[in-house]
Each structure stands twice: as C-alpha cells, then as structure tokens.
Amino acid sequence: MTSVPTPIPSRTQFVLEGIKHRILTGQLTPGQALVETELAAQFGVSKTPVREALKTLAGTGLVVMNQYKGVTVRMVDADMAREVYDVRLLLEPEALRRSVQRGSSLDTAREALERADAATDTAQRSLANREFHRSLYVRCGNPLLGRMLDEVRDQAALVSAVAWAANPSWEREATEHREILRLALDGDSDGAARALHSHIASFVQRAFPEAQGKGEQE
C-alpha cells in the first residue's frame, strides 16, 4: 500500500515559495542566516509555517540546518556544482531527446525565451531560464525522469545565481538556448540533445573550472 503525501498547509506553502524565490533570484545569498522570527514578521505569519517551510527547503538542498549555526542558505562550491550538473548531464539531454521524438509542444520553451529576452532584471531572467529548461524535459513521456530533474532544478538554479553574480554570461547562454530550441523545433532530437549537453557542460566549466578537474581525477 503506497502512502499519500501530506499536503503542505497554505501558509507554509506561501512562505516556502517566498523564501525559495528570494534564494533563487539572489535576494538571499549563500551562507546568509535565515532567522525564523525575522521571516515570520516579513511574511506576516507565525513561526510555525516558517519552521516547516525551512525544513522542506532543507530537504530539497536549498538551505542547511545546523544546531549550532541555525539555518542558512546553502553555500555553493565546486563539489556541489559538479554533483548537481553531473545529474543534469546524465538525464536532461536524454529527456529532451525523448520530448522531441514524441513531437511534444515546445511553445512553453519559446515563450520562456521571449520572457528572458524581455527581462528587465536578473530575477526575471533567472526564472524565465529555469522555465525554459523545464519545458524541454517535462514532456519526455517518463514522469519519474521529469521528477528526478525537478529535484535538482532548484539546486541548479542556486548554482547559476552564484555564477551569474560573479560573471554574468546571459548573452552567450541565450544564444545557446536559441540554438537548442531551433534544433528541437526542426525535429533533430540527437542534435538538440548534443547542444543541450554542451550548453550544460560549458556553463559549469566556465563558472567552476575546479569542478571539472575533480571529476576527471575520480
């Protein structure tokens, strides 16, 4: 008998999404302390939904809970980047290949690219880019594969936020996104998958070159 996930109360969900948004758009930075009382005041709730939201975020890898240091936004280093992007390299190109082979609609991907191009700040562009990547794999025909990629999606966005803060590379990535979409729209499933693999690999190599070195030594 399978267990049914317990629904998250609406206030907890509200706080959860709010904190996540701040982390993934760089408003809350890696290593920054997350104080329950302060967050409760900011969101206009009691500490209980804040505490539950932080526990959920810890489970997804966006925050770290320590009995001595309290709760902080997860730090991003080469090891984390390598682990997260290794999973993406293994799964995301294959999911895109399957989406293209199935003839899945790519309208959402096209719209996400348009929003990214029209973005007026980093937060808007980051959210649009996340949606672009998800739209490539979500219709792959294997819900489990999609959920596995969803699980690392937020951590990948955290890595990206840190990398972009240090070295913005929006224009290069936007060009690569357009080429990936062009190949996918042409029905070239293998070409689109190769372009996506190259796109993911080149990003982490530029942002965290030491991650590539460690991967080769293991």
Side-chain angles (χ1 to χ4, degrees):
M1 182 176 180
T2 58
S3 59
V4 178
T6 303
I8 299 177
S10 58
R11 289 195 176 190
T12 299
Q13 188 67 41
F14 167 70
V15 175
L16 172 66
E17 294 301 327
I19 297 175
K20 180 192 290 189
H21 178 84
R22 294 182 185 186
I23 293 173
L24 298 182
T25 56
Q27 298 174 56
L28 293 171
T29 57
Q32 184 170 341
L34 301 175
V35 182
E36 288 182 8
T37 52
E38 294 179 358
L39 290 170
Q42 292 170 17
F43 287 103
V45 298
S46 68
K47 289 196 298 182
T48 299
V50 173
R51 186 177 302 116
E52 293 304 313
L54 292 176
K55 288 179 181 178
T56 300
L57 290 170
T60 64
L62 284 183
V63 308
V64 176
M65 307 185 86
N66 184 291
Q67 66 179 109
Y68 302 108
K69 297 181 180 179
V71 184
T72 57
V73 178
R74 182 175 181 177
M75 294 294 294
V76 173
D77 57 20
D79 286 337
M80 177 201 174
R82 178 169 58 85
E83 291 171 2
V84 171
Y85 275 72
D86 187 40
V87 172
R88 291 188 66 194
L89 285 169
L90 288 170
L91 301 181
E92 199 167 324
E94 177 59 25
L96 172 58
R97 179 185 287 109
R98 295 185 181 193
S99 292
V100 175
Q101 290 174 344
R102 287 167 52 86
S104 301
S105 172
L106 293 167
D107 289 346
T108 303
R110 186 187 292 108
E111 292 166 2
L113 277 189
E114 292 173 354
R115 289 200 307 275
D117 288 341
T120 57
D121 59 37
T122 300
Q124 292 177 358
R125 192 176 292 112
S126 176
L127 293 172
N129 280 345
R130 290 178 69 226
E131 183 58 32
F132 171 76
H133 276 277
R134 187 172 193 273
S135 67
L136 297 180
Y137 68 72
V138 72
R139 296 184 178 87
C140 67
N142 185 329
L144 178 58
L145 178 56
R147 288 196 298 272
M148 291 172 70
L149 283 164
D150 277 346
E151 287 182 5
V152 299
R153 182 168 172 246
D154 289 344
Q155 293 182 54
L158 180 57
V159 172
S160 299
V162 171
W164 287 324
N167 182 28
S169 53
W170 299 108
E171 292 186 5
R172 172 172 177 165
E173 284 144 37
T175 299
E176 293 172 355
H177 284 173
R178 285 190 284 271
E179 177 62 9
I180 293 166
L181 182 59
R182 183 190 69 78
L183 291 166
L185 289 171
D186 286 346
D188 186 351
S189 59
D190 290 335
R194 285 193 298 270
L196 179 58
H197 188 284
S198 176
H199 168 69
I200 296 171
S202 64
F203 177 82
V204 76
Q205 287 166 10
R206 291 194 307 272
F208 297 90
E210 62 272 38
Q212 178 69 10
K214 289 186 179 183
E216 292 173 347
Q217 294 170 11
E218 293 180 354

